[in-house]
Amino acid sequence: MLWIGLAVLIVIIAIIVVLISFIRGELYFSRVRDNDTLSVEVRALFGIVRYRYVIPIIQFKGFAQGIMIKSEVVNKASTKLKDETKDHITKDKVIAYYNEAKVLLENTLQLYSWLKQTLARVECTELKWITRVGVGDAPETAITTGAIWGIKSTLLGFTIRYVKLMTKPRVDVIPQYNQKQFSTEFRFAGRIRVWFALFAGVRLLVRAAKVKGGLRTWIQLALKTRSRVKTAS
């Protein structure tokens, strides 16, 4: 009986430790000349579970073909490439994604309110956005620098309003008066407790269930997205 009690106690402690641990995520984007890189990394269970999604190629192919992206899924534990896909983001696809988002909004009770409450539990542990810009003319470069500062202030204000800022942001716009240049580097790292992520998922399902056909709509869109990903690969 003592060993059974001890085993149960260890299991309970392990569950508590997992629930209070963090799910950590990082979004990184950089553009240097014509080279774009976008990556998303998620870590959980103290780094045991890792997922990294990388888009090393982003190319504009014209209004007909839209934007071509090459994406890679990397297994961080073994640093091996698990999957590689190519896809074109066209105007029709963007419209389709927008319509799907509207459908989810209509079939979930107060989805926007749920999103705000969930983001309020996200802690921002790193926020970096450095941009270098030059248009070859000093006055025009100064004007462009000010415009970029305005855009950054608006976007960062929106972000800070919804998440908890746990670090001092590193934000700058560096004018390059003697050359034509545009490069930018953006990094956002955040974390959320496992227990609240699970709780948020349950609340989302409850909100969807309160709307007639809500759960069925979520399942149908999830299956459709899965099929779309398989087709792209």
Side-chain angles (χ1 to χ4, degrees):
M1 291 295 294
L2 179 62
W3 288 107
I4 295 176
L6 183 60
V8 172
L9 179 62
I10 292 174
V11 170
I12 293 175
I13 293 175
I15 292 174
I16 293 175
V17 170
V18 169
L19 290 177
I20 64 175
S21 67
F22 287 102
I23 299 174
R24 301 177 185 273
E26 181 181 295
L27 172 65
Y28 175 80
F29 174 78
S30 71
R31 178 178 178 83
V32 180
R33 295 185 177 89
D34 295 330
N35 298 319
D36 298 314
T37 300
L38 174 65
S39 67
V40 179
E41 182 175 345
V42 178
R43 303 186 304 275
L45 298 180
F46 307 100
I48 298 175
V49 177
R50 292 190 178 189
Y51 175 87
R52 190 164 185 250
Y53 182 80
V54 182
I55 300 179
I57 297 177
I58 306 174
Q59 295 178 346
F60 181 67
K61 292 291 185 177
F63 292 102
Q65 296 185 16
I67 301 174
M68 190 278 285
I69 62 173
K70 175 184 175 183
S71 59
E72 301 173 349
V73 179
V74 181
N75 187 333
K76 291 291 288 183
S78 59
T79 64
K80 291 183 179 179
L81 182 65
K82 294 177 61 179
D83 192 16
E84 182 179 81
T85 62
K86 291 183 179 180
D87 193 15
H88 287 85
I89 301 178
T90 63
K91 182 183 71 173
D92 292 337
K93 287 186 178 181
V94 173
I95 294 174
Y97 295 148
Y98 174 75
N99 290 333
E100 289 177 359
K102 285 182 61 178
V103 170
L104 292 179
L105 187 63
E106 294 169 355
N107 285 272
T108 308
L109 182 65
Q110 296 180 341
L111 179 59
Y112 182 66
S113 175
W114 171 87
L115 182 60
K116 287 200 303 181
Q117 292 173 359
T118 303
L119 288 177
R121 293 286 184 167
V122 175
E123 299 177 353
C124 174
T125 56
E126 183 180 2
L127 182 57
K128 176 184 177 182
W129 194 359
I130 308 296
T131 302
R132 290 176 171 83
V133 60
V135 296
D137 179 78
E140 292 184 4
T141 297
I143 294 173
T144 304
T145 300
I148 294 176
W149 265 118
I151 295 173
K152 285 191 175 187
S153 299
T154 301
L155 295 177
L156 293 176
F158 173 84
T159 302
I160 294 173
R161 183 172 61 179
Y162 288 105
V163 302
K164 293 181 180 179
L165 194 61
M166 308 296 290
T167 184
K168 183 178 180 180
R170 292 187 292 162
V171 183
D172 200 1
V173 181
I174 304 173
Q176 307 291 305
Y177 291 109
N178 300 322
Q179 57 183 314
K180 291 183 179 181
Q181 180 186 354
F182 179 81
S183 64
T184 188
E185 181 184 14
F186 176 82
R187 186 188 302 273
F188 177 90
R191 64 186 185 183
I192 186 172
R193 297 280 185 184
V194 170
W195 73 266
F196 191 82
L198 295 174
F199 179 62
V202 172
R203 285 199 309 167
L204 180 62
L205 293 176
V206 171
R207 288 172 182 263
K210 289 183 178 180
V211 179
K212 186 177 180 180
L215 283 177
R216 183 173 65 253
T217 300
W218 274 89
I219 294 173
Q220 289 175 348
L221 285 178
L223 294 175
K224 183 178 179 181
T225 302
R226 183 179 179 183
S227 175
R228 185 188 299 149
V229 170
K230 286 185 176 181
T231 302
S233 61

